[in-house]
Amino acid sequence: MFSYQAGNITIDYTVEAVPNIQEITVNVCPNGGVKLVVPRGLNQSNLHFIIAKKAKWILEQLGETPTEAKEETAERQNEEIHNVTQAAFVPSFQDGDKIPYLGRQYRLNIVKEDKTEAELTFRAKFLATVPASWNEQQTNEGLQALLTDWYITRAEDKFQECLKSLAKQMDGVPGQIEWEDLQNEASRVKADGTIVLNWRLLTAPMSTIELVLAREIAKQTGAAELFEDAAERQQWLEDNTLVVF
């Protein structure tokens, strides 16, 4: 359960993270419950911002009227947005979920065994083995950590593979790049010129990853568009978000 303080009224709300959707829905139930239905991958700050933007509408649906507050500075308003019950947002995983990797969807199988540590393997599907003693929250938190580590571990190999391929086709290709969690932003360049890719790009086909990287290199070297099928490679980014789970 999450909470947002609107004036003198507290809005309590729950969150349902659903795979393979892009739109966000705010539901106000007759019994006064507020529920967000969101794509997997949104962080807690995203959720707070959504509720803050919709607070007036939510209160109208609930028939509530908060006391008018005095004018507040932008800093104070920002503080209000984050004035919530401390609770980490963790996606929900179900056996049979589809997990995206390099442009394809792979099934996630969850198995509970009498063991103390969780582990994850990948061979044509994701197989997660978790302790039978874990409750739902522990299982979701454990799977989130396992999958995140799995993607980040593979980011080095796959992004380096793209670098080697581009080095044969264009000049000015750096020897190394970095990767971070950039949410839904595909890439970024640091002040020192270092190219940073979103590790979540591993959800995209290799051809699309190459396009993103080649364009960042071209910005620095002034090279022309490298790929004749650039529009096709770009289309994946237009049709999809970089939501992993």
Side-chain angles (χ1 to χ4, degrees), residues 62-186:
L62 296 174
E64 300 281 1
T65 304
T67 56
E68 293 186 3
K70 296 178 181 180
E71 279 192 29
E72 298 177 303
T73 63
E75 181 178 354
R76 174 58 181 167
Q77 291 173 343
N78 185 61
E79 184 179 327
E80 276 289 306
I81 291 175
H82 293 86
N83 182 19
V84 297
T85 301
Q86 293 300 314
F89 175 66
V90 178
S92 174
F93 296 96
Q94 301 294 328
D95 185 60
D97 279 353
K98 297 295 183 64
I99 305 296
Y101 178 55
L102 297 182
R104 298 182 62 184
Q105 298 283 333
Y106 294 90
R107 187 176 301 277
L108 170 66
N109 287 148
I110 305 172
V111 178
K112 291 202 169 188
E113 293 186 357
D114 185 15
K115 57 192 306 179
T116 58
E117 296 185 1
E119 61 181 27
L120 179 73
T121 58
F122 176 76
R123 186 172 296 177
K125 66 178 180 180
F126 291 93
L127 176 60
T129 306
V130 301
S133 60
W134 278 8
N135 59 31
E136 182 178 358
Q137 181 176 348
Q138 290 173 314
T139 298
N140 288 332
E141 290 175 348
L143 290 174
Q144 182 183 38
L146 284 172
L147 285 165
T148 299
D149 288 345
W150 188 88
Y151 276 96
I152 291 175
T153 298
R154 274 147 189 80
E156 180 174 7
D157 291 337
K158 292 303 178 182
F159 293 163
Q160 195 65 29
E161 185 178 325
C162 285
L163 279 175
K164 290 180 179 179
S165 175
L166 292 175
K168 300 175 182 178
Q169 306 174 66
M170 62 190 305
D171 297 326
V173 176
Q176 297 287 337
I177 59 172
E178 297 179 4
W179 49 93
E180 298 176 4
D181 185 351
L182 305 178
Q183 292 299 311
N184 207 40
E185 183 181 5

Side-chain angles (χ1 to χ4, degrees), residues 169-236:
Q169 306 174 66
M170 62 190 305
D171 297 326
V173 176
Q176 297 287 337
I177 59 172
E178 297 179 4
W179 49 93
E180 298 176 4
D181 185 351
L182 305 178
Q183 292 299 311
N184 207 40
E185 183 181 5
S187 60
R188 185 179 297 168
V189 178
K190 291 185 175 181
D192 63 1
T194 302
I195 296 174
V196 181
L197 293 186
N198 189 342
W199 64 259
R200 296 168 184 267
L201 265 174
L202 288 179
T203 59
M206 286 291 281
S207 59
T208 299
I209 299 174
E210 283 187 341
L211 175 70
V212 172
L213 185 52
R215 284 180 171 173
E216 291 295 2
I217 296 171
K219 289 178 185 177
Q220 298 184 9
T221 63
E225 180 69 75
L226 180 62
F227 302 107
E228 293 183 357
D229 62 344
E232 181 179 342
R233 297 180 184 226
Q234 173 68 26
Q235 192 61 45
W236 191 95

Side-chain angles (χ1 to χ4, degrees), residues 42-55:
L42 291 185
N43 60 34
Q44 191 177 355
S45 294
N46 297 143
L47 302 178
H48 303 166
F49 182 74
I50 294 165
I51 290 293
K53 297 289 283 186
K54 300 287 288 185

